[in-house]
Amino acid sequence: MPPMSGKTLYDKIWDAHVVAQQDGEAILYIDLHLIHEVTTPQAFAGLRAAGRSVRRPDRTLAVADHNVPTEGQALGVGAVADEEARLQLQTLERNVKDNGIEFFPMGDIRNGIVHVVGPEQGRTQPGMTIVCGDSHTSTHGAFGALAQGIGTSEVEHVLATQTLRQKKSKNLRVTVNGTPGPGVGAKDFALAIVGAIGTAGGTGSVIEYAGEAIRGLSMEGRMTLCNLAIEAGARAGLVAPDQTTYDYMMGRPASPKGAAWEMALAHWKTFFSDDDAVFDREVVLDAADIAPTVTWGTSPEDVVAVTGNVPSPESFATPDKKISAERALDYMGLTAGQPITEARVDVVFIGSCTNSRIEDLRSAAAVAQHAFLNGRLVAPHVRAMVVPGSGLVKEQAEEEGLDAIFKAAGFDWREPGCSMCLGMNPDRLAPGERCASTSNRNFEGRQGRGGRTHLMSPAMAAAAAIAGHIVDVREMMA
Amino acid sequence: MKAFTKLDARMAPLTMANIDTDQIIPKQFLKTVEREGLGKGLFYDFRFDEQGVEKTDFVLNRPEYSGVGVLVAGDNFGCGSSREHAPWALLDFGISCVISTSFADIFYNNCFQNGLLPVVLKPEEVQALMEEAKGGNHVVTVDLEAQTVVSPSGAAFSFQIDPQRKAKMLQGLDAIGETLTAAVDIDVYESKRALSEPWLERA
Ligand code: SF4
């Protein structure tokens, strides 16, 4: 027998949730199931057809986010113009009511993007298993929870059994050492990591993020980081819980209180990778090497430092990559070798489960305010919108006066939802429009047919709105 | 999921090869939030003209094929997009078995998740069934236990099927059903967790 080595954080969470093994698959218990209007209607219909019920409505939480409009939410679901969206929203309302599931409907201050709401409410906790019918469920990994996106048939499976059938993934550790320079944050780390390991780099693995630079991130920064784990091809991303985590959790509506808090804390503190744990693969980066980062192409791995140039297809190693780079340049309307700062933007989107929390809005507002005080507004040719991640984020931002700063500087201040992250609601790009976006996917057509997306941090996106083109936020703030 | 054991039903011939999932259930029917009712969109463009008038010559619209339960189809049935709506639509229409020389992979898998039996026979066997399906008597017997298809004239053809899939189909066990065979384990697990992490129990 090989010598016993320690366990990784992922191993520990996995082991704590295996209910049984069947046909070579584990039946994994799910602690929290987050649901929304788009990926659930057929799952509920399937349950009904089979005469099954929701096993644990108390471990299920529903929000309306993917296709809600970002204005006029107070008018209610009946006023949603898009017929399909309206039908899905109404169906969700009926399904949660029939099954006794807690639900924050559109317009409720607690409603918002599912991956903003879970943590905000204290429903997301360390050591948990969490699933949702949305690929960016990895966000919750920031708390040291194993959080995975699932498809509709799996949603039905979890509703009926509170479990998921799964094979275990591999362990990959990404360590970021050192301290980042000014103007560099979690989004830049996340993009730089996807750039370094590629969109298939994490395939079949769960990534644990470690190192001094990760420990230095706030909970919101860690959420941004884990949000993009999926773009590196991983099943999930994890950051071990620490004092930063516990401070964030303290006093949230669903956080344990009093004696239960102490008990929970002792439990949470068991979730870390042992010193002698073995990872299948390790990647190490230095934060000092990471600049404000943007994407130039149509895959999240197509990254470039804002100080850099659009790469030439010739610089890619394989014929496949050359061809896809050529295609990406053509789609994006860019020329090889041109400085990325020459890319003139038409639209700026600050929002999505990647970057729509209060710290994101503060960092974007700081740029807007700095510009405003220097007599600059959003460039005349740019349509810029800020979409807070939840009603509570919106309320807090308004208490801090961030909405006033945004509006004064020429940004549109919207109501919460996924919005232009996926363009299912009316917030969409027109063909050929170029967008500086804080979201997570720059695929062809993701934000609207023919739309061109450049991913970046909230501060960088705000700076692009003012400059009218991609720009180094460090220069603008100098 | 309904169990599939033995079926005596009318069969209808659909001679075309490469029938894709968009032909089985066209895009405009995907907006539904239900699984039921998709049968009305099944083979919509074959069954109805642009004005929505029934095409009386299409096999499934002919009175002698009403209440059909088995489809005998050409090569590579179910290719194209992975939509699970295709098996749902067939089942909703009353068809719980499709016989062909080959099926597209994803469709084939989706069938087993939904209680629709895909049967692969040799080209000459499918051809023989097609011929008989065109005649006046076209009640076929599909016996999953015995792994045989018996034609109206009594010709018997045997077919292969993965034993695990067969067992689940006979019991009507989909992935959920299979997991629920471990329901006791889930119960036990939940009670342990209720003690070790009581703060997660919401009244
Ligand atoms: S903001 Fe985008 S990625 Fe996040 S939950 Fe909504 S659609 Fe999914």
Side-chain angles (χ1 to χ4, degrees):
Chain A
M1 239 180 88
M4 287 275 283
S5 56
K7 287 181 174 187
T8 65
L9 170 56
Y10 171 52
D11 295 339
K12 289 182 184 178
I13 303 175
W14 175 271
D15 291 349
H17 290 87
V18 174
V19 172
Q21 301 277 351
Q22 243 179 24
D23 289 352
E25 284 176 318
I27 298 179
L28 197 68
Y29 195 77
I30 300 304
D31 294 323
L32 176 63
H33 186 191
L34 300 164
I35 64 173
H36 61 83
E37 74 277 20
V38 172
T39 50
T40 56
Q42 260 97 12
F44 280 103
L47 279 190
R48 274 196 299 278
R52 292 178 175 133
S53 54
V54 179
R55 183 179 174 98
R56 294 295 299 262
D58 61 321
R59 288 186 181 254
T60 312
L61 174 66
V63 301
D65 61 356
H66 275 58
N67 57 22
V68 297
T70 53
E71 53 191 351
Q73 292 184 358
L75 298 174
V77 168
V80 172
D82 184 281
E83 195 186 327
E84 195 182 347
R86 193 170 66 238
L87 181 62
Q88 287 181 339
L89 289 164
Q90 286 165 340
T91 305
L92 179 66
E93 275 178 21
R94 201 185 59 232
N95 285 331
V96 296
K97 194 153 159 265
D98 290 352
N99 291 283
I101 293 167
E102 186 174 11
F103 175 46
F104 301 150
M106 187 179 84
D108 186 305
I109 189 146
R110 297 164 302 174
N111 186 41
I113 305 173
V114 66
H115 310 312
V116 174
V117 172
E120 188 173 76
Q121 290 295 321
R123 292 294 292 260
T124 300
Q125 298 181 10
M128 274 186 160
T129 47
I130 300 176
V131 294
C132 174
D134 177 274
S135 39
H136 294 88
T137 307
S138 58
T139 312
H140 307 262
F143 292 79
L146 178 61
Q148 312 178 71
I150 55 177
T152 296
S153 47
E154 290 173 311
V155 169
E156 184 181 339
H157 192 277
V158 177
L159 287 171
T161 68
Q162 203 57 32
T163 68
L164 195 61
R165 304 178 68 90
Q166 202 168 59
K167 293 202 170 85
K168 201 178 168 199
S169 304
K170 293 200 168 114
N171 282 288
L172 163 62
R173 179 159 58 190
V174 175
T175 304
V176 187
N177 292 318
T179 17
V184 175
K187 186 64 167 283
D188 306 297
F189 290 5
L191 289 172
I193 291 168
V194 181
I197 71 176
T199 47
T203 304
S205 310
V206 167
I207 301 178
E208 179 175 347
Y209 297 98
E212 188 190 349
I214 307 296
R215 288 280 141 235
L217 290 174
S218 68
M219 283 319 291
E220 300 197 352
R222 295 178 190 183
M223 286 188 244
T224 302
L225 185 71
C226 289
N227 180 276
L228 276 104
I230 198 81
E231 303 312 330
R235 272 233 71 126
L238 290 169
V239 177
D242 58 13
Q243 197 56 45
T244 305
T245 320
Y246 313 136
D247 290 346
Y248 178 97
M249 302 246 10
M250 177 79 104
R252 305 243 154 215
S255 291
K257 314 261 169 351
W261 170 265
E262 295 305 325
M263 194 178 178
L265 200 58
H267 174 70
W268 296 340
K269 287 184 173 170
T270 64
F271 289 99
F272 59 88
S273 287
D274 296 329
D275 288 339
D276 57 344
V278 178
F279 287 82
D280 298 287
R281 193 176 157 213
E282 301 245 21
V283 174
V284 181
L285 277 75
D286 195 321
D289 298 337
I290 300 172
T293 303
V294 302
T295 60
W296 58 266
T298 51
S299 161
E301 70 183 5
D302 297 341
V303 300
V304 61
V306 67
T307 49
N309 299 336
V310 175
S312 146
E314 293 312 310
S315 66
F316 290 89
T318 65
D320 277 18
K321 294 242 167 185
K322 283 191 178 86
I323 292 168
S324 50
E326 265 164 34
R327 187 186 156 92
L329 286 185
D330 181 53
Y331 180 85
M332 294 298 290
L334 295 171
T335 318
Q338 111 190 100
I340 190 68
T341 49
E342 279 181 6
R344 181 183 144 105
V345 302
D346 308 293
V347 177
V348 169
F349 171 60
I350 297 172
S352 88
C353 60
T354 316
N355 284 124
S356 63
R357 298 179 183 83
I358 193 68
E359 290 174 14
D360 300 317
L361 303 190
R362 283 182 195 140
S363 82
V367 174
Q369 186 173 32
H370 182 269
F372 185 74
L373 295 176
N374 286 286
R376 297 183 74 183
L377 302 174
V378 167
H381 68 275
V382 173
R383 194 153 49 91
M385 66 161 106
V386 185
V387 184
S390 72
L392 287 165
V393 170
K394 179 167 184 278
E395 183 186 59
Q396 184 171 353
E398 287 171 358
E399 276 167 16
E400 294 180 16
L402 305 186
D403 61 321
I405 295 171
F406 282 125
K407 285 188 230 165
F411 290 81
D412 201 0
W413 178 247
R414 316 284 287 208
E415 293 173 4
C418 294
S419 180
M420 206 185 265
C421 174
L422 80 171
M424 268 186 93
N425 79 346
D427 307 337
R428 268 175 224 168
L429 295 182
E433 276 189 323
R434 185 180 302 283
C435 178
S437 177
T438 67
S439 57
N440 42 50
R441 284 192 166 155
N442 53 343
F443 300 159
E444 284 186 21
R446 168 80 175 184
Q447 296 190 293
R449 207 168 60 81
R452 296 162 168 165
T453 304
H454 294 274
L455 303 176
M456 61 191 76
S457 72
M460 285 282 291
I466 307 291
H469 56 84
I470 293 178
V471 67
D472 190 337
V473 64
R474 296 172 300 189
E475 278 169 26
M476 184 171 278
M477 297 295 277
Chain B
M1 180 175 115
K2 273 242 257 332
F4 189 110
T5 48
K6 189 173 170 193
L7 176 71
D8 294 292
R10 290 180 168 186
M11 64 172 164
L14 211 57
T15 47
M16 278 171 282
N18 302 315
I19 291 182
D20 64 39
T21 51
D22 193 52
Q23 289 166 322
I24 298 173
I25 181 81
K27 279 195 283 306
Q28 68 266 33
F29 295 100
L30 304 187
K31 291 199 173 185
T32 171
V33 289
E34 298 293 336
R35 287 182 186 185
E36 303 85 22
L38 281 166
K40 68 179 186 323
L42 183 74
F43 297 122
Y44 191 85
D45 297 335
F46 296 157
R47 284 164 59 210
F48 301 93
D49 67 13
E50 270 145 45
Q51 276 72 49
V53 179
E54 230 182 63
K55 297 183 191 168
T56 48
D57 55 340
F58 180 66
V59 58
L60 294 180
N61 288 341
R62 304 223 304 262
E64 66 268 34
Y65 292 103
S66 73
V68 65
V70 178
L71 207 59
V72 188
D75 262 4
N76 194 27
F77 187 83
C79 55
S81 103
S82 68
R83 62 188 69 156
E84 222 169 330
H85 300 72
W88 296 341
L90 286 159
L91 285 165
D92 191 60
F93 193 84
I95 294 168
S96 52
C97 174
V98 181
I99 300 171
S100 176
T101 49
S102 66
F103 292 89
D105 263 0
I106 298 175
F107 177 82
Y108 190 75
N109 287 329
N110 283 341
C111 283
F112 287 101
Q113 278 306 314
N114 289 282
L116 179 76
L117 181 67
V119 172
V120 179
L121 292 180
K122 298 193 188 81
E124 60 275 16
E125 296 168 343
V126 171
Q127 200 47 49
L129 283 175
M130 289 268 187
E131 287 309 317
E132 288 197 48
K134 287 175 194 158
N137 171 20
H138 45 258
V139 173
V140 68
T141 302
V142 181
D143 187 337
L144 177 56
E145 183 64 66
Q147 294 182 215
T148 55
V149 175
V150 181
S151 80
S153 69
F157 310 118
S158 62
F159 60 89
Q160 297 301 312
I161 187 167
D162 170 78
Q164 278 196 10
R165 285 187 149 152
K166 176 182 172 180
K168 288 178 203 168
M169 201 77 167
L170 284 171
Q171 294 175 62
L173 209 57
D174 54 7
I176 295 177
E178 195 184 2
T179 299
L180 287 176
T181 61
V184 177
D185 298 308
I186 304 176
D187 292 342
V188 170
Y189 178 89
E190 278 184 337
S191 12
K192 279 195 212 149
R193 288 283 304 277
L195 291 175
S196 64
E197 288 150 71
W199 65 91
L200 289 178
E201 300 302 307
R202 299 159 62 88

